[in-house]
Amino acid sequence: MKHLKFKFSASATDFYADSSFSQLKKIVDQANTVLITDENIFRLHGSKFKNWNCIVLRPGEEFKVQATADAVISQLIKMGADRKTMLIGVGGGVITDITGFTASVYMRGIKSGFVPTTLLAMVDASIGGKNGVDVGVYKNLVGTIRQPSFILHDLDFLDTLPPLEWENGFAEIIKHACIMDVTMFNKLEQQTIGHFRETRKELSNLIRRNTLLKTKVVRQDEFEKGERRLLNFGHTLGHALENQYELSHGQAISIGMTYACHISKQLAGFKETSRVVTVLNKYGLPTYASFDMKRVFEVFQMDKKRERNDMNFIVLQKIGKGMIRSIPLKKLQKIIAGI
Ligand code: GLY
């Protein structure tokens, strides 16, 4: 088991790369731990949960809401959970968010850990400490930033991952490549999802590389005052589309990245939109879409990256080099309407 320790401002996260769920009982005190998972994971991997205290939630982004956190809290009270209890989210991004959020408010904060079971959760959602719930169409409007005590990867969970979930994960991997790793972008251009699925070593290296890339950015700017905003590439339009059109996160940010490339051309002279679009399509992701501009622009008003009349928008200067640009909302809307 490869073990790394990531130091953050007030805490540290142990990272167990390419590990196994069975190692969990060596890492935590089983009696004082509650696993939070969803019905899909529980059905597919039920035997793993034997002898653990479990809360099993209904699956789906529509349950990433305050009411679910309240339901978890009620169950924790019934289970007699106290300040020594640790919550471990075993699942995709919805589960890691709900677990991190509940752990940060229950009794004013108890420890949490994550066993991400989707590619997207491994390379993105479980890393960085941001956790939140959606409020209507507003993604992650309510939440906290608090680092988990550990993250453990068991790649066996990916064996049951449906194709859409592979595409979802690759959207965030392509995002990382676009904003900060041209070498990885070149590799993605040459490969396919099938290649990574079938070559465990390559998949493990890719997941580790993305985990380290994201962690590096978060460690430099844990509370998103500057550089961390780069990770929002494709997310302004993506989040505005995601819940309105019931897209997966990967599909939504893929469309968001496509439009962000065109905006990058206008704001930063970016010349490689077609390369990005080709890679997104190659990994099964949508790029151009028709949508209701008025509704999308209404959602922009509540975007956390908005500061008064300006949006902190992420553009590409070139592949592998993202930049933050403050752009008047009206100008942003005009450019999008013209694409
Ligand atoms: N939990 C995702 C992040 O912190 O970015």
Side-chain angles (χ1 to χ4, degrees):
M1 175 163 59
K2 293 159 202 100
H3 175 203
L4 299 171
K5 203 176 222 9
F6 301 133
K7 290 219 169 70
F8 294 94
S9 59
S11 62
T13 300
D14 289 301
F15 173 49
Y16 302 98
D18 216 346
S19 180
S20 161
F21 188 87
S22 59
Q23 298 295 317
L24 210 52
K25 53 185 178 301
K26 297 189 187 149
I27 297 170
V28 298
D29 171 10
Q30 198 164 11
N32 277 330
T33 297
V34 176
L35 305 187
I36 300 182
T37 192
D38 71 30
E39 288 167 357
N40 288 339
I41 303 286
F42 196 73
R43 181 171 39 81
L44 291 166
H45 303 277
S47 59
K48 288 188 165 57
F49 294 91
K50 212 167 154 234
N51 299 327
W52 288 94
N53 304 308
C54 282
I55 297 176
V56 183
L57 302 176
R58 292 172 73 187
E61 178 80 26
E62 65 269 38
F63 297 108
K64 204 178 95 158
V65 290
Q66 181 75 48
T68 305
D70 292 344
V72 171
I73 289 168
S74 297
Q75 292 212 45
L76 290 174
I77 294 167
K78 278 196 203 125
M79 290 168 144
D82 61 22
R83 298 184 89 169
K84 290 268 182 281
T85 302
M86 177 177 242
L87 297 191
I88 302 181
V90 184
V94 172
I95 290 294
T96 56
D97 263 42
I98 287 285
T99 304
F101 179 59
T102 308
S104 60
V105 293
Y106 186 71
M107 295 197 174
R108 294 207 185 87
I110 60 175
K111 284 188 173 175
S112 66
F114 299 143
V115 181
T117 59
T118 63
L119 183 61
L120 183 131
M122 287 182 191
V123 299
D124 182 33
S126 65
I127 309 162
K130 280 200 225 167
N131 54 67
V133 292
D134 302 340
V135 181
V137 294
Y138 304 118
K139 290 266 307 159
N140 302 325
L141 189 71
V142 172
T144 65
I145 298 184
R146 193 161 170 276
Q147 302 302 333
S149 299
F150 73 86
I151 299 172
L152 181 144
H153 285 181
D154 179 344
L155 269 54
D156 285 352
F157 279 109
L158 300 180
D159 292 343
T160 53
L161 206 62
L164 181 68
E165 278 298 336
W166 283 92
E167 291 153 14
N168 239 343
F170 270 97
E172 291 290 358
I173 290 171
I174 294 167
K175 179 197 79 179
H176 287 157
C178 284
I179 58 173
M180 58 185 156
D181 192 341
V182 67
T183 309
M184 186 163 79
F185 190 92
N186 294 338
K187 172 135 197 166
L188 292 168
E189 266 183 327
Q190 288 152 18
Q191 294 302 352
T192 58
I193 292 190
H195 169 78
F196 288 109
R197 282 181 71 165
E198 285 150 24
T199 326
R200 175 85 173 221
K201 181 100 192 93
E202 291 261 339
L203 180 64
S204 162
N205 287 343
L206 186 73
I207 291 173
R208 179 124 37 117
R209 183 172 184 140
N210 279 274
T211 304
L212 296 179
L213 281 171
K214 176 157 182 188
T215 303
K216 186 167 169 233
V217 176
V218 174
R219 286 188 60 220
Q220 282 163 355
D221 176 25
E222 192 175 348
F223 298 100
E224 199 165 306
K225 303 280 181 242
E227 283 299 286
R228 185 170 178 172
R229 291 176 179 161
L230 286 179
L231 296 170
N232 292 318
F233 178 57
H235 281 57
T236 301
L237 180 60
H239 275 170
L241 296 174
E242 187 170 341
N243 284 3
Q244 280 193 62
Y245 291 96
E246 294 184 13
L247 296 169
S248 73
H249 182 67
Q251 290 170 332
I253 67 151
S254 178
I255 297 168
M257 286 191 276
T258 303
Y259 284 72
C261 283
H262 285 275
I263 296 164
S264 302
K265 183 177 176 203
Q266 298 210 25
L267 298 184
F270 180 64
K271 296 188 188 72
E272 299 173 291
T273 300
S274 63
R275 273 182 82 193
V276 176
V277 168
T278 303
V279 165
L280 291 168
N281 286 154
K282 188 172 186 193
Y283 285 81
L285 292 156
T287 45
Y288 296 94
S290 53
F291 49 85
D292 181 339
M293 301 275 176
K294 191 164 166 281
R295 287 181 68 198
V296 162
F297 296 155
E298 275 163 19
V299 180
F300 279 6
Q301 294 294 331
M302 285 303 287
D303 192 300
K304 297 187 290 303
K305 296 177 288 303
R306 180 180 63 82
E307 284 174 3
R308 294 182 176 269
N309 294 323
D310 297 327
M311 186 74 90
N312 287 308
F313 199 82
I314 313 309
V315 293
L316 299 181
Q317 190 183 49
K318 58 184 182 182
I319 289 174
K321 179 92 185 86
M323 292 185 311
I324 304 154
R325 280 274 181 279
S326 174
I327 166 170
L329 258 182
K330 285 218 157 25
K331 183 169 176 192
L332 179 64
Q333 292 174 192
K334 204 169 154 208
I335 298 176
I336 293 176
I339 293 170

